[in-house]
Amino acid sequence: MLVGLVVEGEAGRCEICELKQVEGEASCSSRKGRLIFFYEWNLRLSWRGTVKESGEKHKGSIEIPNLSEENEVDDTEINVSKKKGESDILKELMRTEGTTKVREALRNYLKALKTEFTWGMILPTKAAGQDLAAERKMSGSAVQESASPHLLDLVGVKIPTVKILMREIFKSPADELYSIFTTQELVQKFSKCPAVIEAEKGGKLLMFNGCVSGEYTELVPGQRLVLKWRCRNWPDEHYATVALNFKDMTAATELQLECKGVPASNEDSTRQWWKKQYFEEIHNLLQQSRDDMD
């Protein structure tokens, strides 16, 4: 995430070319249904640059002595230096715009650490498990055995799967909510990650730094979306079928989610993923839009 970062400005062009030193560790544990993170890194990188006017080439280093959960990324120390006797013009470029790009990369690393790395680690407590069992009974969630037809025979992966049913009310017209799932710019806003969104039949879907991928299989604007959908750590070539139905209500929309073919071992984490990474973030995006209008 750091090597290859390019910084350009009026002074010239710089690039982080090598990760010289990596010391530390990152770990995560699940306690009473909550994820507890620990990470502490000491990093040293090298950069090289070219002055725009003269074409002179310079080198330097970047040190990040304490990237840890004790400090916010904005408060993390980032030290930029250069070789002695060389111009400071590129050092200043790296100290300002370069530092901004490094912090952005660190944020992306921490987001990946707390999503992709921890997928499937949230274990329900006894009480939460009882609530989930009741929710399954009400929603009709059921385990599909490996001999079940449908998606498993299609992809040739024989594992126990489940069907997940969820509902969420959004303060948004159905066509606006539909566009949040089919417009690349809006997907990137609520997911806070680069995305590939080809909203047409057979079009690709790639989100959350590649953690989620799939394909659009049915699109009825403002009414219904059907996707092939998978997480990176699922068995190879195994996809769930996600159907999103948008039901117009007075000044709101009810989103009905049906997700068939989820690996049984990933049921809880998949529910959490849709709740936290999709629904809550879309609520935040809609609220931000309302605030901007006000």
Side-chain angles (χ1 to χ4, degrees), residues 37 110-120 208 211 273 277:
F37 292 92
L110 295 179
K111 185 175 181 66
L113 175 67
K114 296 179 180 181
T115 54
E116 179 180 349
F117 174 72
T118 57
W119 187 283
F208 303 108
C211 189
W273 190 266
Q277 305 299 327

Side-chain angles (χ1 to χ4, degrees), residues 67 71-78 99-100 103-104 106-107 110:
L67 174 64
N71 301 308
E72 297 291 334
V73 170
D74 286 342
D75 298 325
T76 298
E77 186 178 355
I78 299 177
T99 295
T100 298
R103 292 193 193 281
E104 182 180 349
L106 296 179
R107 289 189 191 94
L110 295 179

Side-chain angles (χ1 to χ4, degrees), residues 49-269:
T50 304
V51 179
K52 187 174 184 179
E53 291 187 0
S54 66
E56 293 179 357
K57 298 185 181 299
H58 302 292
K59 297 180 180 180
S61 63
I62 299 174
E63 291 191 2
I64 307 171
N66 185 26
L67 174 64
S68 74
E69 79 283 354
E70 296 179 356
N71 301 308
E72 297 291 334
V73 170
D74 286 342
D75 298 325
T76 298
E77 186 178 355
I78 299 177
N79 301 317
V80 177
S81 61
K82 62 167 184 62
K83 288 193 172 182
K84 292 182 179 180
E86 296 185 345
S87 171
D88 283 342
I89 189 170
L90 293 182
K91 177 185 175 183
E92 184 64 17
L93 177 64
M94 289 299 295
R95 191 187 66 80
T96 54
E97 296 184 34
T99 295
T100 298
K101 285 205 169 186
V102 168
R103 292 193 193 281
E104 182 180 349
L106 296 179
R107 289 189 191 94
N108 288 337
Y109 162 72
L110 295 179
K111 185 175 181 66
L113 175 67
K114 296 179 180 181
T115 54
E116 179 180 349
F117 174 72
T118 57
W119 187 283
M121 288 188 63
I122 301 178
L123 305 177
T125 60
K126 183 177 181 180
Q130 292 171 347
D131 292 341
L132 180 59
E135 183 181 349
R136 287 180 183 174
K137 187 175 181 180
M138 293 180 64
S139 67
S141 173
V143 173
Q144 303 170 357
E145 295 299 333
S146 60
S148 170
H150 190 53
L151 183 66
L152 297 185
D153 288 345
L154 177 65
V155 299
V157 179
K158 294 185 177 182
I159 57 173
T161 66
V162 298
K163 178 174 69 176
I164 294 174
L165 300 176
M166 300 176 71
R167 295 183 179 185
E168 189 78 9
I169 305 296
F170 294 91
K171 294 180 180 179
S172 166
D175 57 349
E176 180 184 1
L177 185 60
Y178 176 92
S179 69
I180 290 177
F181 285 91
T182 55
T183 306
Q184 182 161 311
E185 180 183 359
L186 296 177
V187 169
Q188 291 180 157
K189 280 187 177 181
F190 84 75
S191 67
K192 299 181 177 64
C193 291
V196 175
I197 301 297
E198 300 174 353
E200 59 185 18
K201 189 170 182 179
K204 293 180 181 179
L205 169 77
L206 191 65
M207 299 174 61
F208 303 108
N209 290 318
C211 189
V212 168
S213 60
E215 178 182 307
Y216 289 89
T217 60
E218 182 183 341
L219 300 95
V220 183
Q223 299 179 37
R224 178 176 169 84
L225 271 177
V226 181
L227 312 167
K228 284 176 60 179
W229 188 94
R230 63 173 269 107
C231 173
R232 180 186 288 167
N233 70 342
W234 287 7
D236 290 345
E237 301 303 318
H238 181 83
Y239 288 84
T241 299
V242 173
L244 299 170
N245 290 293
F246 303 81
K247 302 297 181 182
D248 259 323
M249 303 171 64
T250 304
T253 300
E254 179 184 75
L255 179 62
Q256 299 175 352
L257 165 72
E258 179 184 84
C259 191
K260 296 180 181 178
V262 176
S265 60
N266 295 101
E267 178 181 6
D268 297 333
S269 59

